Amino acid sequence: MDGQTIVAPVVISPRPAPQHIARPAPVVGPPLGMLAELTHRCPLQCGYCSNPINLLKANREVDTAGWLSILEQAADLGILQIHLSGGEPTLRSDLEQFVALLARKGVYTNLITAGTVLTRDRLFALRDMGLDHLQLSIQSVRADLSDKIGNIKGGLAKKLALAGWVKESGLPLTLNAPVHRHNIMDTGAVIDLALELGADRVEIANVQYYGWAAVNKAALMPEWAQVLEQKAVVEEARERLKGILNIDFVTPDYYAKYPKPCMGGWATDVLNVTPEGKVLPCHAAESLTGINFENATQTPLADIWYKSESFNRYRGYDWMTDLCNSCDRVDNCFGGCRCQAMALTGAAENADPACIKSPHHHLMAEITGGYAGEQAPPFVYRRITAQN
């Protein structure tokens, strides 16, 4: 994130655990935002998708009445902004009803879309019903590579057409560019495209290795030299375009010195609702074992946010190891990502291995070193199968 320094991976030895520091219990206020994953269905099959491997079929999605209830509860809970996401949210024929309800409730809505099935007429109808913002994903600025990454033909042309309609409609536009070894060298071209399209903001988002991205890690992991060059491109563009284009930069964890403050801290600001109604502190939280995440179709959203064991489990500091609890950076990173700690160390309570102070930080160097110089294998594409 902003201000984070990327350093070359190093191997460090375990260090003695410092003393635990007593800290006040967390004060839990209302969530500021919510990610509403309306469906796992999507016309794209991107190998970096953070959706779970077991994608949910349409017949298990929360129905219209259920989603309307969840969204109304979210507004009453005090949520200020809701991101309508997926999969591809525009595959839901009831999307207009959701936007209209949230507009009546005064909630800011952001539609997160791949942009390949949304028509001009429907976009303008959504705007007229109160949609506030649109975020469009860009797999590549090159048509052939865009098709390869998304496993779809003609995707880039459809996205560019939609971007033009968004600006015609007067809605703010964000471009989201998931970055990996196949497109990292085009970072400057993505920023140029954002300017050309009149975008207000561009997200240079290095892929995080959850869901399908974890399956495709060898195909996606960039090399250290590429990351350094990308960082220089972003820093130069930020300085040159200050006041013209907002550039968000999500650094790749596997080359970081310190972890990101994942979600601003566990269950601190944001909640995530899956297509079947499960409520999560982050989109990847179901990868953690031994936690029961409640369903908003069965339990009031307010009770889940304030009272559930799953949301209170990693709030505050008491769950942390002494290494994290006594660190002077704890209020910057909140221990980092629980899902990454679980995936790489086997225990969600451990410090995020992205941290240079972690005794497991060497795992990052071993993983990136294992892929250095290797030819990228083919993508395992994201698909909903008969087993899902």
Side-chain angles (χ1 to χ4, degrees):
M1 300 296 286
D2 291 350
Q4 187 178 44
T5 302
I6 304 176
V7 298
V10 296
V11 177
I12 62 172
S13 301
R15 56 185 72 189
Q19 294 299 309
H20 190 89
I21 297 176
R23 300 178 187 272
V27 176
V28 182
L32 300 178
M34 183 174 99
L35 182 69
E37 294 184 341
L38 303 179
T39 180
H40 280 161
R41 292 170 287 147
C42 185
L44 274 64
Q45 299 178 344
C46 304
Y48 60 76
C49 183
S50 60
N51 283 158
I53 302 302
N54 293 319
L55 294 166
L56 194 73
K57 284 188 171 182
N59 61 7
R60 291 178 56 198
E61 294 173 3
V62 174
D63 62 15
T64 301
W67 268 116
L68 288 172
S69 174
I70 292 170
L71 296 173
E72 186 159 15
Q73 290 181 60
D76 293 343
L77 187 56
I79 288 176
L80 303 176
Q81 178 169 276
I82 292 184
H83 306 274
L84 301 167
S85 179
E88 176 49 57
T90 60
L91 293 179
R92 294 276 310 217
S93 61
D94 45 10
L95 178 61
E96 286 81 356
Q97 295 181 57
F98 304 153
V99 170
L101 169 68
L102 294 171
R104 290 196 302 271
K105 288 284 189 175
V107 178
Y108 188 94
T109 50
N110 173 35
L111 178 62
I112 301 176
T113 177
T116 60
V117 295
L118 182 57
T119 65
R120 181 184 180 280
D121 287 347
R122 195 177 188 201
L123 170 68
F124 276 70
L126 288 166
R127 180 205 62 182
D128 293 343
M129 290 177 180
L131 183 68
D132 293 297
H133 182 276
L134 188 139
Q135 178 176 312
L136 174 64
S137 67
I138 295 289
Q139 283 65 48
S140 174
V141 297
R142 292 177 280 162
D144 58 340
L145 184 55
S146 177
D147 287 351
K148 176 183 177 181
I149 294 170
N151 199 27
I152 187 174
K153 295 296 183 183
L156 181 60
K158 295 174 182 177
K159 291 168 183 288
L160 297 181
L162 176 60
W165 300 334
V166 172
K167 296 312 294 181
E168 181 186 352
S169 74
L171 288 171
L173 173 65
T174 290
L175 289 191
N176 173 263
V179 178
H180 43 83
R181 70 186 294 173
H182 293 266
N183 61 11
I184 189 170
M185 303 312 289
D186 293 333
T187 296
V190 169
I191 295 171
D192 291 341
L193 178 62
L195 284 171
E196 179 184 337
L197 295 176
D200 305 274
R201 180 167 160 263
V202 61
E203 296 178 349
I204 307 299
N206 284 277
V207 165
Q208 309 297 297
Y209 296 99
Y210 309 115
W212 290 85
V215 173
N216 284 293
K217 192 177 293 183
L220 296 168
M221 186 76 68
E223 296 193 11
W224 173 235
Q226 293 176 313
V227 173
L228 282 180
E229 184 171 341
Q230 178 199 42
K231 181 172 182 286
V233 168
V234 171
E235 288 179 346
E236 184 279 331
R238 276 180 163 173
E239 184 63 28
R240 173 170 48 90
L241 300 173
K242 191 178 297 183
I244 299 172
L245 178 67
N246 291 321
I247 304 175
D248 287 345
F249 183 44
V250 180
T251 58
D253 284 348
Y254 281 66
Y255 289 112
K257 183 177 181 180
Y258 296 112
K260 299 186 300 296
C262 187
M263 306 302 290
W266 179 275
T268 300
D269 297 323
V270 179
L271 54 82
N272 184 104
V273 183
T274 72
E276 63 181 332
K278 283 188 181 180
V279 186
L280 312 174
C282 76
H283 66 275
E286 283 188 284
S287 66
L288 302 177
T289 58
I291 303 180
N292 176 48
F293 293 105
E294 296 179 84
N295 195 298
T297 63
Q298 302 164 0
T299 305
L301 203 57
D303 287 352
I304 296 173
W305 177 256
Y306 286 110
K307 301 175 183 178
S308 70
E309 190 277 335
S310 59
F311 271 66
N312 283 300
R313 187 160 185 156
Y314 298 118
R315 278 177 170 148
Y317 305 90
D318 287 345
W319 62 270
M320 293 182 179
T321 63
D322 288 341
L323 175 66
C324 286
N325 187 274
S326 63
C327 179
D328 59 3
R329 290 184 53 85
V330 69
D331 291 321
N332 297 99
C333 73
F334 309 105
C337 177
R338 299 304 87 227
C339 301
Q340 190 155 265
M342 170 67 82
L344 296 184
T345 75
E349 292 75 16
N350 284 333
D352 187 333
C355 182
I356 197 170
K357 297 181 181 181
S358 166
H360 302 101
H361 186 69
H362 65 91
L363 296 174
M364 297 297 205
E366 291 170 7
I367 291 170
T368 56
Y371 296 137
E374 293 285 332
Q375 183 175 357
F379 287 125
V380 177
Y381 287 110
R382 170 196 187 279
R383 290 188 174 93
I384 295 180
T385 68
Q387 284 71 45
N388 292 131

